[in-house]
Amino acid sequence: MIRIITDSAADLTARELEQPGVVVVPMAITFEDGTSQEDDGSMTKDEFFVRLASDSKLPRTSQPSPAAFIEAFTDAADAGDEMIVITVAQKLSGTYQCATMAAGDVDVPVHIIDSETATQGEAVIVREALRLRDQGFTAAEIVDALESLKKRVRIVAVVDSLKHLQKGGRVSAAVALVGGALGIKPVISLYDGAVKLAGKGRGRPGALVAMFKQIDEMGGVDADYGCTVLYSDDKGMAGPVNHYLHQNLKLNDVHVSQIGATIGTHVGPRAVGVVFVSQNAE
């Protein structure tokens, strides 16, 4: 079997976690009081966002250790499985580097892919890996296909502010200042591994319109892959986005998913967005 190994930033669903040969190496969250929590589902996403709102200091996220990857790799090797590792974007985390270090300490080949994305964008790539594996593709063929697909994965989202991304070092103070003008809600994008200020709008309605325009400007949705509406702490915010995708873009395969703790730390509360595969890689 080809074992698909990823990290908890992918926010896989319970059904995906139950599929044969899927392994998640958890990241960790350290809170203001110094307590740490692995992002392994033992703290629910809702519980995390309640804690995020109550703490005055932003939690710290930590990538899995090389030792955690070595354990996953050794277990796969002992079972005679090949391995494909899909990590959160290396521009956002040291996870890719830790996996690469760990691969050097095992005696079997390990294919490691920098997804250049996160949360459900990373999950899109995991799902495609599983689909191709189950159709009988070789590990090398799957890796080639994923390296091509990842260039088309897009995330665009409205966030309440950029302060969480700035505090976590994911955007500069200058970008945060531009996106934080009075009454303005920023629109961010994630592709090619980087978080960018993609637009802004007056109030949430204006920002949603700006976000919808970005979907078109990013190449439009490839309906073969469906798309996912993301939200952080308030599922109700997904409603207008879900409606737009169904009614305006005539998409039928639309899912709704809550952002997990690893990425939620950086986008903060009241975030809503769309994950999709673009019709082109430009």
Side-chain angles (χ1 to χ4, degrees):
M1 177 184 286
I2 299 172
R3 197 171 294 201
I4 308 299
I5 301 172
T6 189
D7 53 63
S8 56
D11 291 337
L12 297 185
T13 66
R15 179 178 295 180
E16 288 163 348
L17 292 171
E18 292 171 355
Q19 292 196 52
V22 175
V23 176
V24 175
V25 182
M27 303 175 85
I29 314 295
T30 302
F31 292 100
E32 181 180 21
D33 62 3
T35 59
S36 292
Q37 175 73 50
E38 283 199 336
D39 187 13
D40 58 2
S42 54
M43 170 181 275
T44 69
K45 295 172 182 179
D46 285 331
E47 287 171 343
F48 165 75
F49 281 106
V50 169
R51 181 71 183 268
L52 182 67
S54 65
D55 282 2
S56 60
K57 187 176 179 181
L58 193 69
R60 298 192 314 274
T61 56
S62 304
Q63 67 264 19
S65 67
F69 277 111
I70 289 172
E71 182 179 352
F73 297 166
T74 301
D75 184 64
D78 289 346
D81 290 346
E82 295 183 86
M83 287 167 272
I84 297 175
V85 184
I86 300 165
T87 76
V88 64
Q90 66 171 314
K91 291 181 181 178
L92 304 180
S93 167
T95 304
Y96 176 87
Q97 288 83 353
C98 287
T100 302
M101 289 173 59
D105 284 343
V106 294
D107 297 326
V108 292
V110 182
H111 305 277
I112 304 175
I113 297 172
D114 170 11
S115 74
E116 299 185 1
T117 184
T119 186
Q120 287 297 309
E122 191 177 350
V124 166
I125 299 170
V126 172
R127 290 185 201 113
E128 183 69 359
L130 291 170
R131 187 184 72 83
L132 294 173
R133 180 198 69 181
D134 294 345
Q135 288 187 357
F137 285 77
T138 67
E141 290 170 337
I142 295 170
V143 169
D144 285 345
L146 299 184
E147 288 288 353
S148 177
L149 175 64
K150 76 181 189 182
K151 296 299 183 182
R152 298 167 55 204
V153 176
R154 307 281 187 263
I155 300 179
V156 60
V158 175
V159 293
D160 230 28
S161 79
L162 296 175
K163 68 177 183 179
H164 289 79
L165 284 162
Q166 181 195 349
K167 288 179 180 178
R170 270 61 183 184
V171 300
S172 68
V175 169
L177 184 63
V178 171
L182 186 63
I184 297 297
K185 297 296 181 186
V187 178
I188 60 170
S189 65
L190 171 58
Y191 62 93
D192 290 338
V195 177
K196 303 168 187 175
L197 178 63
K200 51 187 183 291
R202 186 159 297 282
R204 186 163 292 271
L208 287 176
V209 170
M211 182 179 76
F212 297 148
K213 289 180 179 177
Q214 281 296 315
I215 293 174
D216 288 335
E217 292 181 12
M218 291 179 178
V221 178
D222 185 336
D224 288 344
Y225 293 91
C227 63
T228 300
V229 181
L230 291 175
Y231 70 96
S232 55
D233 59 326
D234 185 352
K235 189 175 183 179
M237 290 187 174
V241 180
N242 201 354
H243 182 271
Y244 177 85
L245 296 172
H246 277 105
Q247 298 300 316
N248 294 67
L249 299 188
K250 308 301 181 185
L251 298 171
N252 295 317
D253 188 11
V254 179
H255 304 273
V256 177
S257 178
Q258 188 173 18
I259 299 167
T262 300
I263 304 303
T265 294
H266 301 291
V267 299
R270 296 178 58 80
V272 65
V274 181
V275 179
F276 63 100
V277 175
S278 171
Q279 295 179 28
N280 58 64
E282 300 300 326

